[in-house]
């Protein structure tokens, strides 16, 4: 990992952790469509849709933007009920709730590895960018991605 990426990851972890103290209690919603990017990627990898039901946010893969990727690709590395399911339409981010200006309490699946991680999100002030962090234990030990609103 590049030194700058590690520093950005640590800064994001501190930002998410501080949200409970300094964050706003309400704000824009992450519900809608988003472009996701691979680690360090400049081109969008997928379109996902975040929905909200009873205060709980869930994200599903809507469409792959990777040229030549099989739209019927299965999650062969997933465990449990997700094993062998189609990636398109699969709920890969679940249980996320609004908490003091951010979103946490959820889990996120990495379909490339089958790993499931705790997750937190923080929406930019203008609602156009979503910082998503998957982690083990505490947010400091994890990986972040920035998603860009597609709708």
């Amino acid at each position: 990992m590049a030194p700058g990426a590690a520093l950005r990851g640590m800064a994001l972890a501190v930002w998410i952790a501080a949200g409970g103290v300094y964050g706003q209690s309400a704000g824009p919603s992450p519900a809608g469509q988003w472009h996701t990017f691979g680690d360090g990627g400049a081109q969008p990898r997928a379109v996902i849709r975040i929905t909200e039901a009873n205060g709980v946010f869930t994200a599903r893969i809507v469409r792959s933007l990777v040229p030549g990727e099989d739209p019927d690709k299965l999650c062969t590395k997933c465990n449990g009920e997700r094993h062998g399911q189609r990636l398109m339409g699969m709920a890969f981010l679940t249980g996320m709730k609004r908490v003091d200006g951010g979103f946490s309490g959820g889990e996120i699946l990495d379909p490339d590895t089958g790993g499931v991680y705790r997750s937190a999100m923080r929406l930019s002030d203008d609602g156009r960018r979503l910082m998503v962090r998957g982690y083990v234990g505490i947010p400091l030990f994890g990986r972040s991605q920035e998603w860009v609103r597609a709708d």
Side-chain angles (χ1 to χ4, degrees), residues 17-34:
V21 176
Y22 301 108
Q24 301 170 345
S25 60
S29 171
Q33 292 196 134
W34 296 88

Side-chain angles (χ1 to χ4, degrees), residues 100-150:
D100 294 328
F103 303 86
S104 65
E107 292 185 331
I108 190 165
L109 165 75
D110 179 346
D112 293 331
T113 67
V116 178
Y117 305 94
R118 294 174 69 185
S119 186
M121 305 184 308
R122 172 105 27 215
L123 198 56
S124 65
D125 289 340
D126 66 1
R128 304 297 305 159
R129 297 190 180 280
L130 185 64
M131 297 302 293
V132 180
R133 185 156 184 85
Y135 59 93
V136 176
I138 61 173
L140 184 61
F141 302 113
R143 191 173 88 200
S144 298
Q145 288 187 347
E146 182 178 270
W147 298 352
V148 177
R149 196 173 288 274

